[in-house]
Amino acid sequence: MERTFIMIKPDGVQRGLVGEIIGRFEAKGFTLVGLKSLSVSRELAEEHYDVHKERPFFGGLVDFICSSPVVAMVWEGDGVVACARKLIGATNPLSAERGTIRGDFGVSVGRNLIHGSDAIETAQKEINLWFSEKELLSWEPTVNAWLYE
Ligand code: IDP
Ligand code: MG
């Protein structure tokens, strides 16, 4: 089954939106297979955002991610990678649709609350970067019989 990496960024944690955000993934019907809160090291933040290392916002982004705890998660389900991006909304919260996490709760691109992997291959890489094998669960919620045909 498909898996994606989701991180509630420091602003989402500080603003008390952890429960709200997790609730949206739960209510949709995805399965939580990994969850931890942590203070992110500079090394991990730089590796995670490596594709953006030449961008002008890179230093500020890394500072921000390391500034306060985050909540890292792995969610599982059919089509979860693309669907999570839809639940999250556009990168700039001002352009993100109402009903999305960024659209409902954010006002600026540098404080957009949450990260979600952008492709299946990226998801695999990010899951391996943030979680060890033994931190991830393999389980099938009994409710799946009512979610999948
Ligand atoms: P994504 O999070 O929607 O995938 P990316 O383009 O991959 O967006 O950018 C990664 C993160 O970098 C964004 O979520 C945001 O926190 C930050 N970021 C992107 N563009 C800007 C910018 O122009 N100014 C400040 N931060 C930015
Ligand atoms: Mg991205």
Coordinates of all heavy atoms in Angstrom, one line a residue, residues 4-100:
T4 N 3.1 8.0 2.5 CA 3.7 9.4 2.3 C 4.2 9.9 3.6 O 3.8 9.5 4.6 CB 2.6 10.3 1.6 OG1 3.3 11.5 1.1 CG2 1.6 10.8 2.6
F5 N 5.1 10.8 3.4 CA 5.7 11.5 4.6 C 5.1 12.9 4.8 O 5.0 13.7 3.8 CB 7.2 11.7 4.4 CG 7.8 12.5 5.5 CD1 8.0 12.0 6.8 CD2 8.3 13.8 5.3 CE1 8.5 12.8 7.8 CE2 8.8 14.6 6.3 CZ 8.9 14.1 7.6
I6 N 4.6 13.1 6.0 CA 3.9 14.4 6.3 C 4.6 14.9 7.6 O 4.9 14.2 8.5 CB 2.4 14.1 6.7 CG1 1.7 13.5 5.5 CG2 1.8 15.4 7.2 CD1 1.5 14.4 4.3
M7 N 4.9 16.2 7.5 CA 5.5 16.9 8.7 C 4.7 18.1 9.0 O 4.5 19.0 8.2 CB 6.9 17.3 8.4 CG 7.5 18.1 9.6 SD 9.1 18.8 9.3 CE 9.1 19.3 7.6
I8 N 4.2 18.2 10.3 CA 3.6 19.5 10.8 C 4.8 20.4 11.2 O 5.6 20.0 12.1 CB 2.6 19.2 11.9 CG1 1.6 18.2 11.5 CG2 2.0 20.6 12.3 CD1 0.6 17.8 12.6
K9 N 4.9 21.5 10.5 CA 6.1 22.4 10.7 C 5.9 23.1 12.1 O 4.9 23.1 12.7 CB 6.2 23.4 9.6 CG 6.4 22.7 8.2 CD 6.5 23.7 7.1 CE 6.7 23.0 5.7 NZ 6.8 24.0 4.6
P10 N 7.0 23.8 12.5 CA 7.0 24.5 13.8 C 5.8 25.4 14.0 O 5.2 25.5 15.1 CB 8.3 25.3 13.8 CG 9.2 24.4 13.0 CD 8.4 23.9 11.9
D11 N 5.3 26.1 13.0 CA 4.2 27.0 13.1 C 2.9 26.3 13.4 O 2.1 26.7 14.2 CB 4.1 27.9 11.9 CG 4.0 27.2 10.5 OD1 4.6 26.1 10.5 OD2 3.5 27.7 9.6
G12 N 2.7 25.1 12.8 CA 1.5 24.3 13.0 C 1.5 23.8 14.4 O 0.4 23.7 15.1
V13 N 2.7 23.4 15.0 CA 2.7 22.9 16.3 C 2.5 24.0 17.3 O 1.7 23.9 18.2 CB 4.1 22.2 16.6 CG1 4.2 21.7 18.1 CG2 4.3 21.0 15.7
Q14 N 3.2 25.1 17.1 CA 3.1 26.3 18.0 C 1.7 26.9 18.0 O 1.2 27.3 19.0 CB 4.1 27.4 17.6 CG 5.5 27.1 17.9 CD 5.9 27.4 19.3 OE1 5.1 27.8 20.1 NE2 7.2 27.1 19.6
R15 N 1.0 26.8 16.9 CA -0.4 27.3 16.8 C -1.5 26.3 17.3 O -2.7 26.6 17.2 CB -0.7 27.8 15.4 CG 0.2 29.1 15.1 CD -0.1 29.6 13.7 NE -1.5 29.8 13.5 CZ -2.1 29.8 12.3 NH1 -1.4 29.6 11.2 NH2 -3.4 30.0 12.2
G16 N -1.0 25.2 17.8 CA -2.0 24.2 18.4 C -2.9 23.6 17.3 O -4.0 23.2 17.6
L17 N -2.3 23.3 16.1 CA -3.1 22.7 15.1 C -2.8 21.3 14.8 O -3.2 20.7 13.8 CB -2.9 23.5 13.8 CG -3.5 25.0 13.8 CD1 -3.0 25.8 12.6 CD2 -5.0 24.9 13.8
V18 N -2.0 20.6 15.7 CA -1.6 19.2 15.5 C -2.8 18.3 15.5 O -3.0 17.5 14.5 CB -0.6 18.8 16.7 CG1 -0.4 17.2 16.6 CG2 0.7 19.5 16.5
G19 N -3.7 18.5 16.4 CA -4.9 17.6 16.5 C -5.8 17.9 15.2 O -6.3 16.9 14.6
E20 N -6.0 19.1 14.9 CA -6.8 19.5 13.7 C -6.3 18.8 12.4 O -7.0 18.2 11.6 CB -6.9 21.0 13.6 CG -7.4 21.5 12.3 CD -8.9 21.4 12.1 OE1 -9.6 21.5 13.2 OE2 -9.4 21.2 11.0
I21 N -5.0 18.9 12.3 CA -4.3 18.4 11.1 C -4.4 16.9 11.0 O -4.8 16.3 10.0 CB -2.9 18.9 10.9 CG1 -2.9 20.5 10.6 CG2 -2.1 18.2 9.9 CD1 -1.6 21.2 10.7
I22 N -4.0 16.2 12.1 CA -4.1 14.8 12.2 C -5.5 14.3 11.9 O -5.7 13.3 11.2 CB -3.5 14.2 13.5 CG1 -2.0 14.4 13.6 CG2 -3.8 12.7 13.7 CD1 -1.4 14.0 14.9
G23 N -6.5 15.0 12.5 CA -7.9 14.7 12.3 C -8.3 14.7 10.9 O -9.2 13.9 10.5
R24 N -7.8 15.6 10.1 CA -8.2 15.6 8.6 C -7.7 14.4 7.9 O -8.4 13.8 7.0 CB -7.6 16.9 8.0 CG -8.3 18.1 8.5 CD -7.9 19.3 7.8 NE -8.7 20.5 8.3 CZ -9.1 21.5 7.6 NH1 -8.7 21.6 6.4 NH2 -9.8 22.5 8.2
F25 N -6.5 13.9 8.2 CA -6.0 12.7 7.5 C -6.8 11.4 8.0 O -7.1 10.6 7.2 CB -4.5 12.5 7.8 CG -3.7 13.5 7.0 CD1 -3.4 14.8 7.5 CD2 -3.2 13.1 5.7 CE1 -2.6 15.7 6.7 CE2 -2.4 14.0 5.0 CZ -2.2 15.3 5.5
E26 N -7.1 11.4 9.3 CA -7.9 10.3 9.9 C -9.2 10.3 9.3 O -9.7 9.2 8.9 CB -8.0 10.5 11.4 CG -6.8 10.1 12.2 CD -7.2 10.1 13.7 OE1 -7.8 11.1 14.2 OE2 -6.7 9.2 14.5
A27 N -9.9 11.4 9.3 CA -11.3 11.5 8.8 C -11.4 11.1 7.3 O -12.4 10.5 6.9 CB -11.8 12.9 9.0
K28 N -10.3 11.4 6.6 CA -10.4 11.1 5.1 C -10.3 9.6 5.0 O -10.9 9.0 4.0 CB -9.1 11.7 4.4 CG -9.0 11.4 3.0 CD -10.1 12.0 2.1 CE -9.8 11.7 0.7 NZ -11.1 12.0 -0.1
G29 N -9.7 8.9 5.9 CA -9.6 7.4 5.8 C -8.2 6.8 5.6 O -8.1 5.7 5.4
F30 N -7.2 7.7 5.8 CA -5.9 7.2 5.7 C -5.4 6.6 7.1 O -6.0 6.8 8.1 CB -4.9 8.3 5.3 CG -5.1 8.7 3.8 CD1 -5.3 10.1 3.5 CD2 -5.2 7.8 2.8 CE1 -5.6 10.5 2.2 CE2 -5.5 8.2 1.5 CZ -5.7 9.5 1.2
T31 N -4.4 5.7 7.0 CA -3.9 5.0 8.1 C -2.6 5.6 8.6 O -1.6 5.7 7.8 CB -3.7 3.5 7.7 OG1 -4.9 3.0 7.2 CG2 -3.3 2.7 8.9
L32 N -2.5 5.9 9.9 CA -1.3 6.4 10.5 C -0.3 5.2 10.8 O -0.7 4.3 11.6 CB -1.6 7.1 11.8 CG -0.5 7.8 12.5 CD1 0.1 8.9 11.7 CD2 -1.1 8.5 13.8
V33 N 0.8 5.2 10.2 CA 1.8 4.1 10.4 C 3.1 4.5 11.1 O 3.9 3.7 11.4 CB 2.1 3.3 9.1 CG1 0.8 2.6 8.6 CG2 2.7 4.2 8.1
G34 N 3.2 5.9 11.3 CA 4.4 6.4 12.0 C 4.1 7.8 12.5 O 3.5 8.5 11.8
L35 N 4.6 8.0 13.8 CA 4.3 9.3 14.4 C 5.3 9.7 15.4 O 5.6 8.8 16.3 CB 2.9 9.3 15.0 CG 2.5 10.5 15.9 CD1 2.2 11.7 15.0 CD2 1.3 10.2 16.7
K36 N 6.0 10.8 15.4 CA 6.8 11.3 16.4 C 7.0 12.8 16.4 O 6.8 13.4 15.4 CB 8.2 10.6 16.3 CG 9.0 10.9 15.1 CD 10.3 10.1 15.0 CE 11.0 10.3 13.7 NZ 12.2 9.5 13.6
S37 N 7.3 13.4 17.6 CA 7.6 14.8 17.6 C 9.1 14.9 17.9 O 9.7 14.0 18.6 CB 6.8 15.5 18.7 OG 7.0 15.0 19.9
L38 N 9.7 15.9 17.3 CA 11.2 16.0 17.4 C 11.6 17.4 17.2 O 10.9 18.2 16.5 CB 11.9 15.0 16.5 CG 11.9 15.3 15.0 CD1 13.1 14.6 14.3 CD2 10.6 14.7 14.4
S39 N 12.8 17.7 17.7 CA 13.5 18.9 17.4 C 14.4 18.5 16.2 O 15.2 17.6 16.3 CB 14.3 19.5 18.5 OG 13.5 19.9 19.6
V40 N 14.3 19.3 15.1 CA 15.1 18.9 13.9 C 16.5 19.4 13.9 O 16.7 20.6 14.2 CB 14.3 19.4 12.6 CG1 15.0 18.9 11.4 CG2 12.8 18.9 12.7
S41 N 17.4 18.6 13.6 CA 18.8 19.0 13.5 C 19.0 19.8 12.2 O 18.3 19.5 11.2 CB 19.8 17.8 13.6 OG 19.7 17.0 12.4
R42 N 20.0 20.6 12.2 CA 20.3 21.3 10.9 C 20.7 20.4 9.8 O 20.2 20.6 8.6 CB 21.6 22.2 11.2 CG 21.4 23.6 10.7 CD 22.3 24.6 10.8 NE 22.1 25.5 9.7 CZ 21.1 26.4 9.7 NH1 20.4 26.6 10.7 NH2 21.0 27.1 8.6
E43 N 21.4 19.3 10.1 CA 21.8 18.3 9.1 C 20.5 17.7 8.5 O 20.5 17.5 7.2 CB 22.6 17.3 9.8 CG 23.3 16.3 8.9 CD 23.9 15.1 9.7 OE1 23.6 15.0 10.9 OE2 24.7 14.4 9.1
L44 N 19.6 17.3 9.3 CA 18.3 16.7 8.8 C 17.5 17.6 7.9 O 17.1 17.3 6.9 CB 17.5 16.1 10.0 CG 16.2 15.5 9.6 CD1 16.3 14.3 8.6 CD2 15.4 15.0 10.9
A45 N 17.4 18.9 8.4 CA 16.6 19.9 7.7 C 17.3 20.2 6.3 O 16.6 20.3 5.3 CB 16.5 21.1 8.5
E46 N 18.6 20.3 6.3 CA 19.3 20.5 5.1 C 19.2 19.4 4.1 O 19.0 19.6 2.9 CB 20.8 20.9 5.3 CG 21.0 22.2 5.9 CD 22.4 22.6 6.3 OE1 23.3 21.6 6.2 OE2 22.6 23.7 6.7
E47 N 19.2 18.2 4.6 CA 19.1 17.0 3.7 C 17.6 16.9 3.2 O 17.4 16.7 2.0 CB 19.4 15.7 4.6 CG 19.2 14.4 3.8 CD 20.2 14.2 2.8 OE1 21.4 14.6 2.9 OE2 19.9 13.5 1.8
H48 N 16.7 17.2 4.1 CA 15.2 17.1 3.6 C 15.0 18.1 2.5 O 14.2 17.8 1.6 CB 14.3 17.4 4.9 CG 12.9 17.4 4.5 ND1 12.1 16.3 4.2 CD2 12.1 18.5 4.4 CE1 10.9 16.7 4.0 NE2 10.8 18.0 4.0
Y49 N 15.5 19.3 2.7 CA 15.2 20.4 1.7 C 16.3 20.5 0.7 O 16.5 21.6 0.0 CB 14.9 21.7 2.4 CG 13.5 21.8 2.9 CD1 13.3 21.9 4.3 CD2 12.4 21.7 2.1 CE1 12.0 22.0 4.8 CE2 11.1 21.7 2.6 CZ 10.9 21.9 4.0 OH 9.6 21.9 4.4
D50 N 17.1 19.5 0.5 CA 18.3 19.6 -0.4 C 18.0 20.1 -1.8 O 18.8 20.8 -2.4 CB 18.9 18.2 -0.5 CG 20.3 18.2 -1.2 OD1 21.2 18.9 -0.8 OD2 20.4 17.5 -2.3
V51 N 16.8 19.7 -2.4 CA 16.5 20.2 -3.7 C 16.4 21.7 -3.8 O 16.4 22.3 -4.9 CB 15.1 19.6 -4.3 CG1 15.2 18.1 -4.5 CG2 14.0 19.9 -3.4
H52 N 16.2 22.3 -2.7 CA 16.0 23.8 -2.6 C 17.3 24.5 -2.2 O 17.2 25.7 -1.9 CB 14.9 24.2 -1.7 CG 13.5 23.7 -2.1 ND1 13.0 23.9 -3.4 CD2 12.6 22.9 -1.5 CE1 11.8 23.4 -3.5 NE2 11.5 22.7 -2.3
K53 N 18.4 23.8 -2.2 CA 19.6 24.4 -1.5 C 20.1 25.7 -2.3 O 20.8 26.5 -1.6 CB 20.7 23.4 -1.3 CG 21.3 22.8 -2.5 CD 22.5 22.0 -2.0 CE 23.3 21.3 -3.1 NZ 22.5 20.1 -3.6
E54 N 19.8 25.8 -3.5 CA 20.3 27.0 -4.3 C 19.3 28.2 -4.2 O 19.5 29.3 -4.7 CB 20.5 26.7 -5.8 CG 21.5 25.5 -6.0 CD 22.9 25.7 -5.4 OE1 23.2 26.8 -5.1 OE2 23.6 24.7 -5.2
R55 N 18.1 27.9 -3.6 CA 17.1 29.0 -3.6 C 17.4 30.0 -2.5 O 17.9 29.7 -1.5 CB 15.7 28.3 -3.3 CG 15.4 27.2 -4.3 CD 14.9 27.6 -5.7 NE 13.6 28.2 -5.6 CZ 12.5 27.5 -5.7 NH1 12.5 26.2 -5.8 NH2 11.3 28.1 -5.7
P56 N 16.9 31.3 -2.7 CA 17.3 32.3 -1.8 C 16.6 32.1 -0.4 O 17.2 32.5 0.6 CB 16.7 33.6 -2.4 CG 15.8 33.1 -3.5 CD 16.3 31.8 -3.9
F57 N 15.5 31.3 -0.3 CA 14.8 31.1 0.9 C 15.4 29.9 1.7 O 14.9 29.7 2.9 CB 13.3 30.9 0.7 CG 12.9 29.8 -0.2 CD1 12.9 28.5 0.3 CD2 12.6 30.0 -1.5 CE1 12.5 27.4 -0.5 CE2 12.2 29.0 -2.3 CZ 12.2 27.7 -1.8
F58 N 16.4 29.2 1.2 CA 16.9 28.0 1.8 C 17.3 28.1 3.2 O 16.9 27.4 4.1 CB 18.0 27.3 0.9 CG 18.5 26.0 1.5 CD1 17.8 24.9 1.4 CD2 19.8 26.0 2.1 CE1 18.3 23.7 1.9 CE2 20.3 24.8 2.6 CZ 19.5 23.6 2.5
G59 N 18.2 29.1 3.5 CA 18.7 29.3 4.8 C 17.7 29.6 5.8 O 17.6 29.1 6.9
G60 N 16.8 30.5 5.5 CA 15.6 30.9 6.3 C 14.7 29.7 6.6 O 14.2 29.5 7.7
L61 N 14.5 28.9 5.6 CA 13.7 27.7 5.7 C 14.3 26.7 6.7 O 13.6 26.2 7.6 CB 13.5 27.1 4.3 CG 12.7 25.8 4.2 CD1 11.2 26.0 4.8 CD2 12.6 25.3 2.8
V62 N 15.5 26.5 6.6 CA 16.2 25.5 7.5 C 16.2 26.1 8.9 O 15.9 25.4 9.9 CB 17.7 25.2 7.0 CG1 18.5 24.5 8.0 CG2 17.6 24.4 5.7
D63 N 16.5 27.4 9.1 CA 16.4 28.0 10.4 C 15.0 27.8 11.0 O 14.9 27.4 12.2 CB 16.6 29.5 10.3 CG 18.1 29.9 10.0 OD1 19.0 29.0 10.2 OD2 18.3 31.1 9.6
F64 N 14.0 28.0 10.2 CA 12.6 27.9 10.7 C 12.3 26.5 11.1 O 11.7 26.3 12.2 CB 11.7 28.4 9.5 CG 10.2 28.1 9.8 CD1 9.6 28.5 10.9 CD2 9.6 27.3 8.9 CE1 8.2 28.2 11.1 CE2 8.2 27.0 9.1 CZ 7.6 27.4 10.2
I65 N 12.7 25.5 10.3 CA 12.3 24.1 10.6 C 13.0 23.7 11.9 O 12.5 22.8 12.6 CB 12.7 23.2 9.4 CG1 11.8 23.5 8.2 CG2 12.6 21.7 9.8 CD1 10.3 23.3 8.4
C66 N 14.2 24.2 12.1 CA 15.0 23.9 13.3 C 14.6 24.7 14.6 O 15.1 24.5 15.7 CB 16.5 24.0 13.1 SG 17.0 23.0 11.7
S67 N 13.7 25.7 14.4 CA 13.5 26.7 15.5 C 12.6 26.2 16.6 O 12.6 26.8 17.7 CB 12.8 28.0 14.8 OG 11.5 27.7 14.4
S68 N 11.8 25.1 16.4 CA 10.9 24.7 17.4 C 10.4 23.3 16.9 O 10.6 22.9 15.8 CB 9.7 25.7 17.4 OG 8.7 25.4 18.3
P69 N 9.8 22.5 17.8 CA 9.5 21.1 17.5 C 8.6 20.9 16.3 O 7.7 21.8 16.0 CB 8.9 20.5 18.7 CG 9.4 21.3 19.8 CD 9.6 22.7 19.3
V70 N 8.7 19.8 15.6 CA 7.8 19.4 14.5 C 7.2 18.1 14.9 O 7.6 17.4 15.8 CB 8.6 19.3 13.2 CG1 9.3 20.6 12.8 CG2 9.5 18.1 13.1
V71 N 6.1 17.7 14.1 CA 5.5 16.4 14.2 C 5.7 15.7 12.9 O 5.2 16.2 11.9 CB 4.0 16.5 14.7 CG1 3.4 15.1 14.6 CG2 3.9 17.1 16.1
A72 N 6.4 14.6 12.9 CA 6.6 13.9 11.7 C 5.8 12.6 11.6 O 5.6 12.0 12.7 CB 8.1 13.4 11.6
M73 N 5.2 12.3 10.4 CA 4.3 11.2 10.3 C 4.4 10.5 9.0 O 4.9 11.1 8.0 CB 2.8 11.8 10.3 CG 2.4 12.5 11.6 SD 0.8 13.2 11.5 CE 1.2 14.7 10.7
V74 N 4.0 9.2 9.0 CA 3.8 8.5 7.8 C 2.4 8.0 7.7 O 1.9 7.4 8.7 CB 4.8 7.3 7.7 CG1 4.6 6.5 6.4 CG2 6.3 7.8 7.8
W75 N 1.7 8.3 6.6 CA 0.3 7.9 6.4 C 0.3 7.0 5.2 O 1.0 7.1 4.2 CB -0.5 9.2 6.1 CG -0.8 10.0 7.4 CD1 0.0 11.0 7.8 CD2 -1.9 9.8 8.3 NE1 -0.5 11.5 9.0 CE2 -1.7 10.8 9.3 CE3 -3.0 9.0 8.3 CZ2 -2.6 11.0 10.4 CZ3 -3.9 9.2 9.4 CH2 -3.7 10.1 10.4
E76 N -0.7 6.1 5.3 CA -0.8 5.0 4.3 C -2.2 5.0 3.7 O -3.1 5.2 4.4 CB -0.5 3.7 5.0 CG -0.4 2.5 4.1 CD 0.0 1.2 4.8 OE1 -0.9 0.6 5.4 OE2 1.2 0.9 4.8
G77 N -2.3 4.6 2.4 CA -3.6 4.4 1.8 C -3.5 4.5 0.3 O -2.5 5.0 -0.2
D78 N -4.5 4.0 -0.4 CA -4.5 4.1 -1.9 C -4.4 5.6 -2.3 O -5.2 6.4 -1.8 CB -5.8 3.6 -2.4 CG -5.8 2.0 -2.6 OD1 -4.7 1.4 -2.3 OD2 -6.8 1.5 -3.0
G79 N -3.4 5.9 -3.1 CA -3.3 7.2 -3.7 C -3.0 8.3 -2.6 O -3.2 9.5 -2.9
V80 N -2.4 7.9 -1.5 CA -2.2 8.9 -0.4 C -1.2 10.0 -0.7 O -1.4 11.1 -0.2 CB -1.8 8.1 0.9 CG1 -0.4 7.5 0.8 CG2 -1.9 9.0 2.1
V81 N -0.2 9.7 -1.6 CA 0.8 10.8 -1.9 C 0.1 12.0 -2.5 O 0.2 13.1 -2.0 CB 1.9 10.2 -2.8 CG1 2.8 11.4 -3.2 CG2 2.7 9.2 -2.0
A82 N -0.6 11.8 -3.6 CA -1.3 12.9 -4.4 C -2.4 13.4 -3.5 O -2.6 14.6 -3.5 CB -1.8 12.4 -5.7
C83 N -3.2 12.6 -2.9 CA -4.3 13.1 -2.1 C -3.9 13.9 -0.9 O -4.5 14.9 -0.6 CB -5.2 11.9 -1.6 SG -6.7 12.5 -0.9
A84 N -2.8 13.6 -0.3 CA -2.3 14.4 0.8 C -1.9 15.8 0.4 O -2.2 16.8 1.0 CB -1.1 13.7 1.5
R85 N -1.3 15.9 -0.8 CA -1.0 17.2 -1.4 C -2.3 18.0 -1.6 O -2.3 19.2 -1.4 CB -0.3 17.0 -2.7 CG 1.1 16.4 -2.6 CD 2.2 17.3 -2.1 NE 2.5 18.3 -3.1 CZ 3.5 19.2 -3.0 NH1 4.4 19.1 -2.0 NH2 3.7 20.1 -3.8
K86 N -3.4 17.3 -2.0 CA -4.7 18.0 -2.1 C -5.2 18.5 -0.8 O -5.7 19.6 -0.7 CB -5.7 17.1 -2.8 CG -5.5 17.0 -4.3 CD -6.8 16.4 -4.9 CE -6.6 16.2 -6.4 NZ -7.7 15.4 -6.9
L87 N -5.1 17.6 0.2 CA -5.6 18.0 1.6 C -4.8 19.2 2.1 O -5.3 20.1 2.8 CB -5.5 16.8 2.6 CG -6.3 15.6 2.3 CD1 -6.0 14.5 3.4 CD2 -7.8 15.9 2.3
I88 N -3.5 19.2 1.8 CA -2.6 20.3 2.2 C -2.8 21.6 1.5 O -2.8 22.7 2.1 CB -1.1 19.8 2.0 CG1 -0.8 18.7 3.1 CG2 -0.1 21.0 2.2 CD1 0.5 18.0 2.8
G89 N -3.0 21.6 0.2 CA -3.2 22.8 -0.6 C -2.0 23.4 -1.2 O -0.9 22.9 -0.9
A90 N -2.1 24.5 -1.9 CA -1.0 25.1 -2.6 C 0.0 25.6 -1.7 O -0.3 26.0 -0.5 CB -1.6 26.2 -3.5
T91 N 1.3 25.7 -2.2 CA 2.4 26.2 -1.4 C 2.1 27.5 -0.7 O 2.5 27.7 0.5 CB 3.7 26.2 -2.2 OG1 3.9 24.9 -2.8 CG2 4.9 26.6 -1.4
N92 N 1.6 28.5 -1.5 CA 1.3 29.8 -0.9 C -0.2 29.7 -0.3 O -1.1 29.6 -1.0 CB 1.3 30.8 -1.9 CG 1.1 32.2 -1.3 OD1 0.6 32.4 -0.2 ND2 1.6 33.3 -2.1
P93 N -0.3 29.8 1.0 CA -1.6 29.7 1.7 C -2.6 30.7 1.2 O -3.8 30.4 1.2 CB -1.3 29.9 3.2 CG 0.1 29.5 3.3 CD 0.8 29.9 2.0
L94 N -2.1 31.8 0.7 CA -3.1 32.8 0.1 C -3.8 32.3 -1.1 O -4.9 32.8 -1.5 CB -2.4 34.2 -0.1 CG -2.0 34.9 1.2 CD1 -1.3 36.3 0.8 CD2 -3.2 35.2 2.1
S95 N -3.1 31.5 -1.9 CA -3.7 30.9 -3.1 C -4.3 29.5 -2.9 O -5.0 29.0 -3.7 CB -2.6 30.7 -4.2 OG -1.7 31.7 -4.2
A96 N -4.1 29.0 -1.7 CA -4.6 27.6 -1.4 C -6.1 27.7 -1.2 O -6.7 28.6 -0.7 CB -3.9 27.1 -0.2
E97 N -6.8 26.7 -1.8 CA -8.3 26.6 -1.7 C -8.8 26.5 -0.3 O -8.1 25.9 0.6 CB -8.8 25.4 -2.4 CG -8.5 25.4 -3.9 CD -9.2 26.4 -4.7 OE1 -10.3 26.8 -4.3 OE2 -8.7 26.8 -5.8
R98 N -9.9 27.1 0.0 CA -10.6 26.9 1.3 C -10.9 25.4 1.4 O -11.2 24.8 0.4 CB -11.9 27.6 1.4 CG -11.8 29.1 1.7 CD -11.2 29.4 3.1 NE -11.7 28.6 4.2 CZ -12.7 29.0 5.0 NH1 -13.2 30.2 4.8 NH2 -13.1 28.3 6.0
G99 N -10.8 24.9 2.6 CA -11.0 23.4 2.8 C -9.7 22.7 2.8 O -9.7 21.5 3.2
T100 N -8.6 23.3 2.3 CA -7.3 22.7 2.5 C -6.7 23.2 3.8 O -7.1 24.3 4.3 CB -6.4 23.0 1.3 OG1 -6.1 24.4 1.3 CG2 -7.0 22.7 -0.1

